[in-house]
Structures are given as structure tokens and as C-alpha cells.
Amino acid sequence: MNQSTRGAGDPIVDPAQATHRPQYHFLPPANWMNDPNGLIQWQGKYHLFYQYNPNGPFHGTIHWGHTVSYDLVHWTDLPIAMAPSPGGPDKDGCFSGCAVNNHGVATFMYTGVHPETQCLATSEDGLITWQKHPGNPVIAAPPPGLDTTGFRDPFVWQDGGIWYAAVGSGIKGVGGTVLLYQSADLVHWDYLNPICTGRLEETGSMWECPNFFPLGDKHVLLISPIPLRKTLFLIGAYDGRLFTPETQGIIDNGGCFYAPQTMLDDTGRRLMWGWLWERSSKAASCAAGWAGIMSLPRLLSILPDGTLGQQPVPELTALRGAHHHYSNLVVAPGAPAILPDPTGVCLEIVANFERGDALAFGIQVCRSPDGEEQTSIYFDGETGDLVVDTSRASTDATVAREVRRTPLPSDQTLKLRIFLDRSALEVFANDRVCLASRIYPTRADSRGLALFARGGAARLSSLDAWEMHSIWPVGERSALSVTQG
Ligand code: DQQ
């Protein structure tokens, strides 16, 4: 049944290289990374900036790192774009922000700390070097009269020749909010009003990293509320000043996806990246020399039920190497059925199931032959949830191990699209929801795949698995990378 086809030149994963450092998710060569920033397509190339600490694998001395891609898959490191300026409004860090094209001039709007103020920087050499605006900060304080819990992460767009900025904030005792400003020139800003405000007990006290954009015939607001440690989408109507949410949900309940930022690309696609934080200890990050990775780019849409749809961008298929295929298998309840191929820790898997009379069914990845380590991805028919269970992903008690779930409206079929990249696991289901996780198996033989069902039998209509290429040319980053993650 297994029609394995290894192409000439396809990589063979070397178990000796099997660390936790992802091979096809973006991360800097070393040190700390958090939020995506300043996403922009410039002269055809995708520029991705990110919160970066060049001084170690921990949050501090926040700079803007920079990488560029022509295909959304392969990334080339570029020099640090911005560093804190001693004595300047960003002396304690260049916090999150965005990039816009101001009549041909690439411009960042970002937050300087401390206190939190909004600043500008521009580039005239194709986004490589950045000059800070002499008038910084261009917004020196939150609106007078508002008792705010924070004031950061501007997201800027243009409408009818006017610039608008949405700044993440919160009103003490009330809840998180997004403050709306307008400007004719990006330098002089007038405060308008809170675009939308949440209830403290539901959506927290401070909304970080707002993104606000039209999608289909709706508007979408993405927020990362403190203290929720997860990111929400709100979809609704916008009248030019006020946003009225109609539906709301968690973008990714996997436990590590945060502070996403979106961009509109030249083909009109709304693309989103998020920060996938580590679920291991600070000591492990310090030993590894790096912490934090970027999610894969996701394509956003409004689904027929009015919620947010997420799919991996089609460009990622360029990473597919050796291919393995199975079809038409009965997945009986009881012991998991181990697949002979592929084994590995850098895989893409597309699996189509029919539920049959199973109560739960799915797939295990990074399974050791005896099952001591395993990560289970399945549909729970009793709750109607997609589940990623990392409670047995690792024998290391210092890493997060838990059951994460998200509602998955489903009829009798389940389509899983799984991107496994060493410690990064992103699971898309039925072309609509995603759960991202971080896993840290300890055993070199935790590389297997298995199918399982509970309470009845399911059917695997088809399974395609590809061994994934690394996005880094062999050896390119070895001098900068550290060995064990
Ligand atoms: N990260 C940045 C802030 C933002 C937070 C600081 C969200 O600007 O609010 O690194 O992760």
C-alpha cells in the first residue's frame, strides 16, 4: 500500500541532527525573537521584521530584526533594522509596529519605551537602513483624560488619502481597547476615539498588537489581550470611526501563538504570521542560545459561518521532498497502527479521514516505537473538537505537556494538514482552524507515525506525507547556530 517515492537529491534527515531547532520555520540565527513587525511587500519581495534581542535568548534590549523572502518560504537574513537610540524615546526598546509605503517612502510606525510613545522611521535604500524621525515621538502620550493600561503597537492604514493608526491600549477598570488616530502625513496625529472596547472580565485589561483590516465585506480586528495569552479575532462592521463586532473567536488555541501581524500582498491576499513562543524553560533557551520562532504564513478568509478561516499559503508545497502515500485503510479501535513510512521530525502530512462509528480518531507524530513519547492529533467526536495532545510528547518534565482543543464544525469527514518541524507543530483542520504547538521529545527514536481510533472504527481515505526540505542552504547558518535546542 505504501507507494514511497524518494526523489534524487531529496534530503535524508540525519538523526544525529535531530534537535529542537526548526528547519523550515523562520527564526533568527541565534538569540531571542518575538512578535512579527513591519510586514510589507516591497518591490515584489516579502520583508519580515521582528522583535529581536541580539544580546541573548531572552526578552530585553529590543531591536527590530530583518529578513526577506521572494517566495514566502526561503528567507535571507538582513542586518538589524532598528536599535534603541540612547537618550531617545526608544532608549529602552523598539517595541512592535508596522510598515507602510508613504508615496514611495518605506516608513515604520512603532512604539518607543519608556514611557510608551509612538515613533517613526524611514528608509531610502530599499529597507536596509532606517533613519528615525527627528520629531520622535510623533504621539507622545495617550489621549488626555483616558486612564490607560498601555499604549503601544500601532497598526497603520490609508483610506481616502488619510492615514489611520490603531494603537493597542486599555482603559483601567473597563477593559482592553484600540485607540483610533488620523493624520494627513504620518507625522501629525489627531486622536479620534476608541474604535472598539472590550469588557475587562471577558477580554482582559490591555489589547496588544491590534491589526484592523477589511476582509470580504467585513472588517476584522485581531487583538492579543493581556492576560489571556492568546489572540482573538473579532469580525464585524466598521463605519469609519467605530467597529461593531458580530462574531469573535480564538485565532489559535494551541498555547504558543501570539501577537500576529497581517499584510496585504500584491495579489490581494491577507497573510498572517504569529510568534510561536517556547514552551520549554528559560534555562533550556539559554542552553540552546535561541528562543522563539515565527509561524508559517497563513492565508486568511471569512468563512461562510462568519468566522475567520486560516490556511497555510500554497507556496509551502515547494518544500515537499520524498513522498509517501497510503489509501483506504480501516483504523480499528485499540492499539495504534504504526505506519512503516515515513519516520521523521520534519514532515508535512495531509490525512483525510471518514469518521465511521469512531468516537475519536486521528494520528500520532513523533512517536517512539514503544509509545513512551507521542503527540496525538485527533478529532474528538464527543465534544466536536480538534485536539492536539502533547501530554506524552516528551519525557522532559520541564516542558509544557497538555491537551489543547478548538471547536471544529465537521460532518463525517476530517482533513488534517500537519506541519511538523522538530519542536514546531502546526495543525490545520478542514481548511478552517489551526492549532500550533511546541513539542520537545527527548528520544532520538521519537520519529514514528501511527493511526488510532477509539470507541469504533474510522477510515483513512488517504494519507500523503512528505519529508520536508530545510529552508537553509546546508551549512549556511552553522557558524551562528547552536547545537542543542
Ligand atoms: N511585544 C512587544 C510589545 C507588544 C508585545 C514587546 C506583544 O510591543 O505589546 O516586545 O508580545
Side-chain angles (χ1 to χ4, degrees), residues 79-109:
I80 286 173
M82 281 202 300
S85 295
D90 61 9
K91 63 184 185 321
D92 289 333
C94 301
F95 275 20
S96 285
C98 61
V100 293
N101 182 342
N102 182 15
H103 306 289
V105 179
T107 305
F108 288 154
M109 190 164 179

Side-chain angles (χ1 to χ4, degrees), residues 156-187:
V156 177
W157 69 95
Q158 200 174 26
D159 192 7
I162 298 172
W163 293 104
Y164 293 90
V167 182
S169 188
I171 301 170
K172 279 187 190 148
V174 177
T177 192
V178 174
L179 304 176
L180 181 64
Y181 287 79
Q182 74 173 20
S183 171
D185 57 7
L186 292 175
V187 176

